[in-house]
């Protein structure tokens, strides 16, 4: 048999697996009194690990409790989580389809300006003006560069 642990907010209730026994002793001693001696209630539990044991006669059961609790937590069942995930996927799929159909109609259009530009030939720009300090060497005009001779290193 196993312990039954119930968590609600910061209150933890542990039920001892011993059945049909009236005189159950808890270790550490029970802080809050209940009508049912099988239940051990931890009020304002701080999520710290604790070792509990319940015993009656010669039979003893121990439990290491490492329960994480918080005051503002909500427990969701599996059906709720599945519904949230399915709804999220359907909404995402709907947005994808909407974007696809809205963008599909705009493929053939050009720009959305009011006056369309003429689509004539593109005019070419003339080449840049050369710098007069660097003139190319032409055949027959070597006298400009006659003073420059290659040097052997």
């Amino acid at each position: 048999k196993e312990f039954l642990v119930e968590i609600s907010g910061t209150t933890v209730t542990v039920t001892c697996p011993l059945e049909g026994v009236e005189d159950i002793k808890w270790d550490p001693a029970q802080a809050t009194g209940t009508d049912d001696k099988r239940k051990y209630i931890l009020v304002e539990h701080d999520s710290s690990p604790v070792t509990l044991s319940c015993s009656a006669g010669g039979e003893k059961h121990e439990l290491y409790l490492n329960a994480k609790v918080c005051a503002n937590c909500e427990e969701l069942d599996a059906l709720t989580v599945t519904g949230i995930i399915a709804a999220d996927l359907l909404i995402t799929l709907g947005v994808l389809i909407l974007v696809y159909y809205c963008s599909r109609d705009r493929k053939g259009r050009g720009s959305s300006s009011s006056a369309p530009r003429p689509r004539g030939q593109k005019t070419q720009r003339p080449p840049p003006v050369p710098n007069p300090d660097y003139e190319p060497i032409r055949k027959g005009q070597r006298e400009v560069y006659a003073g420059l001779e290659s040097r052997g290193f």
Side-chain angles (χ1 to χ4, degrees):
K1 297 180 181 179
E2 295 180 355
F3 283 91
L4 175 65
V5 180
E6 301 170 25
I7 301 172
S8 175
T10 58
T11 303
V12 179
T13 305
V14 181
T15 304
C16 184
L18 296 172
E19 293 180 3
V21 180
E22 293 293 325
D23 191 27
I24 295 177
K25 293 184 180 158
W26 288 93
D27 183 35
Q30 190 168 357
T32 60
T34 62
D35 293 338
D36 189 0
K37 296 288 185 185
R38 290 183 60 210
K39 293 191 179 204
Y40 185 90
I41 299 174
L42 292 165
V43 181
E44 298 295 325
H45 184 58
D46 59 355
S47 297
S48 61
V50 65
T51 302
L52 299 173
S53 66
C54 66
S55 59
E59 199 172 348
K60 182 177 183 180
H61 294 277
E62 291 187 359
L63 170 73
Y64 178 76
L65 180 68
N66 190 7
K68 303 292 182 193
V69 297
C70 63
N72 300 327
C73 295
E74 286 293 326
E75 186 175 341
L76 298 175
D77 59 340
L79 185 63
T80 304
V81 173
T82 305
I84 290 171
I85 292 172
D88 184 35
L89 289 174
L90 288 174
I91 290 170
T92 303
L93 184 64
V95 169
L96 285 173
I97 291 171
L98 182 69
V99 168
Y100 173 75
Y101 280 116
C102 288
S103 66
R104 188 178 74 165
D105 295 339
R106 297 181 185 215
K107 279 186 183 176
R109 296 184 195 166
S111 65
S112 61
S113 62
S114 60
R117 288 193 254 162
R119 295 209 179 247
Q121 284 184 335
K122 292 184 178 180
T123 58
Q124 293 182 353
R125 293 184 179 178
V129 177
N131 191 342
D133 293 337
Y134 302 101
E135 292 183 15
I137 299 176
R138 295 184 190 101
K139 288 187 178 180
Q141 289 185 340
R142 297 187 71 78
E143 66 273 355
V144 176
Y145 302 103
L148 299 174
E149 294 182 16
S150 63
R151 298 179 185 170
F153 287 104

